[in-house]
């Protein structure tokens, strides 16, 4: 009889010990929820909630990744905006320089060829702008410098005595090499005579902003406005060879360069407007991504955020139960000791 009683008491003690351990675990879980404000996965109401929570978190991760890519694109588009504004300013400065130097007496002492080369190198510096290791004006070929040497290093293209619209090769207006062309392109571009579109077509620079939506962005060194601006300054620079030998033809050549530059400025402004549209488009996408992120965050919170009042009540109840378990355990151990002493 004594053995049976002892066995029963041992079983009861073990049961109480397991109950205390379970209550401590539950209390720790509730304290953790109270501290973080988030339910533990094992304390979600239903398995369906756990499944939905996982799906929502996965979607939120995707939205955050898309938003990060969109922000990177926006940073580049903003750099394009600043760069295009600088190129337009240089083109306007070139226009002023040409107008001033149209007077041969002024040009004979102002070193216009040196001024032209300085303007070319300013444009060249902008076209070699990088975002980290990425050349911004190289389209999909962004690991390679879009330029082949300095723009001031462009050799004489329009020889001394050349007459606009008359001398072969002195096109008026300039025939700009387009994207997709297979004819030789200007020597300052770092490409082969292959299809330019494979190298510098801005429309190929794309990113996903959602699972099924892509947008393109970018500005290419091969675009007509940039090519024409460079060519106009080269025409002006090369025309200086006629300042003293044929002043009248020099002025004709400067007028030709000015006409090309006027067209180039209009094309550059169109490029800036197109880039501005991309800024607006990306801004709208960012707003949409932010709203999606907010909605997902709210829904996730509805599922996993702990109710502070409810958790506090649960903690109080568990503490009460735990204290009662300790009292019963203490009483049981006391009775066992009395029985043992008997």
């Amino acid at each position: 009889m004594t053995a049976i009683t002892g066995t029963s008491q041992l079983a009861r003690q073990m049961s109480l010990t397991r109950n205390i351990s379970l209550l401590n675990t539950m209390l720790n879980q509730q304290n953790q929820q109270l501290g973080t404000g988030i339910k533990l996965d094992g304390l979600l109401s239903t398995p369906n909630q756990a499944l939905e929570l996982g799906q929502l978190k996965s979607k939120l991760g995707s939205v955050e990744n898309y938003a990060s890519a969109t922000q990177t694109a926006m940073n580049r588009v903003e750099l394009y905006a600043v760069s295009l504004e600088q190129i337009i300013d240089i083109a306007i400065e070139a226009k002023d320089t040409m107008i001033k130097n149209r007077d041969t007496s002024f040009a004979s002492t102002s070193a216009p060829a040196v001024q032209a080369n300085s303007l070319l190198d300013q444009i060249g510096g902008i076209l070699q702008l990088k975002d980290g290791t990425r050349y911004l004006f190289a389209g999909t070929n962004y690991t390679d410098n879009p330029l082949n040497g300095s723009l001031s290093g462009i050799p004489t293209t329009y020889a001394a005595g050349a007459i606009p619209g008359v001398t072969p090769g002195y096109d008026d207006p300039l025939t700009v090499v387009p994207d997709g062309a297979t004819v030789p392109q200007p020597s300052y571009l770092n490409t082969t005579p292959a299809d330019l579109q494979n190298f510098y077509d801005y429309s190929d620079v794309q990113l996903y902003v959602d699972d099924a939506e892509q947008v393109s962005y970018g500005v290419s060194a091969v675009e007509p406005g940039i090519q024409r601006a460079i060519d106009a300054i080269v025409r002006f620079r090369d025309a200086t060879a006629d300042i003293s030998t044929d002043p009248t033809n020099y002025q004709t050549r400067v007028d030709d360069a000015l006409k090309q530059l006027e067209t180039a400025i209009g094309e550059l402004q169109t490029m800036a407007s197109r880039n501005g549209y991309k800024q607006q488009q990306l801004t709208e996408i960012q707003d949409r991504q932010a709203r999606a992120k907010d909605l997902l965050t709210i829904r996730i919170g509805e599922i996993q955020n702990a109710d502070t009042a409810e958790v506090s009540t649960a903690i109080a109840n568990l503490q009460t139960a735990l204290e009662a378990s300790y009292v019963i355990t203490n009483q049981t151990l006391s009775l066992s000791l009395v029985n043992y002493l008997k």
Side-chain angles (χ1 to χ4, degrees), residues 169-201:
Y170 208 132
D171 300 322
D172 187 15
L174 169 72
T175 301
V176 176
V177 179
D179 288 340
T182 55
V183 297
Q185 67 278 358
S187 61
Y188 59 80
L189 291 175
N190 186 22
T191 68
T192 63
D195 183 351
L196 290 178
Q197 188 170 359
N198 293 333
F199 295 89
Y200 300 120
D201 184 2

Side-chain angles (χ1 to χ4, degrees), residues 49-63 295-301 303:
Q49 272 198 331
L51 177 61
E52 183 183 2
L53 181 61
Q55 293 172 338
L56 290 170
K57 285 183 175 181
S58 176
K59 181 61 176 176
L60 178 60
S62 296
V63 170
L295 290 173
L296 288 167
T297 301
I298 290 170
R299 181 58 187 139
I300 289 171
I303 294 175

Side-chain angles (χ1 to χ4, degrees), residues 58-289:
S58 176
K59 181 61 176 176
L60 178 60
S62 296
V63 170
E64 289 174 338
N65 287 333
Y66 287 130
S68 176
T70 302
Q71 183 59 55
T72 298
M74 176 62 88
N75 293 342
R76 291 172 184 159
V77 168
E78 289 173 350
L79 284 173
Y80 286 127
V82 173
S83 300
L84 286 172
E85 190 63 36
Q86 291 174 335
I87 293 175
I88 291 171
D89 288 344
I90 293 169
I92 292 172
E93 182 182 349
K95 178 181 175 181
D96 292 341
T97 300
M98 292 179 192
I99 292 172
K100 291 175 183 177
N101 284 278
R102 191 178 184 281
D103 183 341
T104 54
S105 61
F106 180 83
S108 62
T109 60
S110 67
V114 174
Q115 294 180 61
N117 279 331
S118 175
L119 293 167
L120 287 170
D121 282 340
Q122 289 179 54
I123 293 175
I126 294 170
L127 295 181
Q128 295 176 84
L129 181 67
K130 297 174 75 174
D131 176 21
T133 60
R134 183 189 187 106
Y135 285 96
L136 289 180
F137 286 87
T140 55
N141 197 38
Y142 55 81
T143 57
D144 292 336
N145 191 328
L147 299 185
N148 180 24
S150 66
L151 293 184
S152 63
I154 296 174
T156 298
T157 306
Y158 305 99
I163 302 174
V166 176
T167 301
Y170 208 132
D171 300 322
D172 187 15
L174 169 72
T175 301
V176 176
V177 179
D179 288 340
T182 55
V183 297
Q185 67 278 358
S187 61
Y188 59 80
L189 291 175
N190 186 22
T191 68
T192 63
D195 183 351
L196 290 178
Q197 188 170 359
N198 293 333
F199 295 89
Y200 300 120
D201 184 2
Y202 75 90
S203 64
D204 285 341
V205 182
Q206 298 178 327
L207 78 154
Y208 276 98
V209 295
D210 205 339
D211 291 346
E213 182 183 358
Q214 276 185 305
V215 297
S216 63
Y217 69 96
V219 178
S220 158
V222 79
E223 293 190 55
I226 293 175
Q227 285 191 64
R228 200 183 301 278
I230 293 170
D231 179 77
I233 299 173
V234 169
R235 286 172 185 250
F236 169 65
R237 183 200 66 183
D238 291 353
T240 61
D242 290 347
I243 290 175
S244 57
T245 58
D246 192 346
T248 300
N249 191 49
Y250 166 72
Q251 289 181 336
T252 300
R253 295 178 68 175
V254 172
D255 290 342
D256 172 77
L258 275 167
K259 182 170 62 177
Q260 293 289 340
L261 192 57
E262 285 282 6
T263 302
I265 290 172
E267 291 172 331
L268 288 169
Q269 289 170 337
T270 298
M271 291 165 58
S273 295
R274 187 191 71 211
N275 187 69
Y277 170 75
K278 292 299 180 182
Q279 281 183 290
Q280 180 182 351
Q281 185 181 18
L282 288 172
T283 297
E284 291 171 355
I285 290 169
Q286 285 184 316
D287 289 343
R288 192 173 73 217
Q289 290 171 335

Side-chain angles (χ1 to χ4, degrees), residues 8-24 320-339:
S8 298
Q9 289 175 341
L10 177 61
R12 188 177 182 187
Q13 290 169 13
M14 292 178 66
S15 176
L16 288 168
T17 300
R18 286 194 297 269
N19 186 55
I20 289 173
S21 177
L22 177 60
L23 288 171
N24 274 312
T320 299
L322 191 57
E323 289 171 3
S325 295
Y326 279 127
V327 170
I328 294 171
T329 300
N330 184 58
Q331 291 174 347
T332 301
L333 290 174
S334 297
L335 289 173
S336 297
L337 179 61
V338 170
N339 291 335

